[in-house]
Amino acid sequence: MVDIECAACGTDEHLRGNRLDDDTIELTCERCGATWVRDPRPSCPKCGGHELEAAPKVIVEKSRGSQMSIQGIQREFLCRVCDDELIRARRDGYLPDRLPGSQ
Ligand SMILES: [Zn+2]
Ligand SMILES: [Zn+2]
């Protein structure tokens, strides 16, 4: 695990994670015995809720005229409450009809 360290003693090497029923993780520091709960789920910046779903976001860039080229696919989290329409639009087809190089 990265980016997690014990708030009490600062170690990042002696941590034990235990996933709880609600998808949070209870961490135990085996060095100093501290325990705390970490919520690994992303939260919505708008409503603070956890009803998010990961949606692929295609990064396209205009090259030469009207031709679009795909620069990559990013994962972003959409809120099921705030971004409901967007999520549905993405499900209908987030990819351009044709990928460059394919027929
Ligand atoms: Zn500790
Ligand atoms: Zn939201």
Side-chain angles (χ1 to χ4, degrees):
M1 282 195 266
V2 289
D3 291 340
I4 303 173
E5 57 182 38
C6 174
C9 72
T11 185
D12 60 2
E13 289 176 3
H14 304 278
L15 306 178
R16 198 154 40 90
N18 179 30
R19 188 174 282 267
L20 303 177
D21 290 342
D22 61 354
D23 270 352
T24 56
I25 295 173
E26 183 186 63
L27 288 156
T28 303
C29 175
E30 291 180 325
R31 191 161 93 174
C32 73
T35 64
W36 68 100
V37 172
R38 184 168 179 270
D39 191 342
R41 299 168 299 174
S43 59
C44 172
K46 291 175 204 160
C47 71
H50 289 295
E51 292 292 304
L52 301 191
E53 77 174 53
K57 181 186 184 182
V58 180
I59 314 298
V60 288
E61 207 168 78
K62 262 193 181 156
S63 61
R64 279 179 299 145
S66 60
Q67 205 182 343
M68 306 286 276
S69 62
I70 294 182
Q71 303 298 303
I73 295 181
Q74 247 177 23
R75 233 159 59 108
E76 67 174 0
F77 291 99
L78 297 175
C79 176
R80 291 199 178 118
V81 179
C82 308
D83 302 316
D84 188 46
E85 279 180 33
L86 205 53
I87 289 173
R88 265 184 266 175
R90 289 284 168 78
R91 279 198 191 125
D92 288 345
Y94 62 86
L95 282 173
D97 293 343
R98 265 196 293 168
L99 297 172
S102 66
Q103 292 295 322

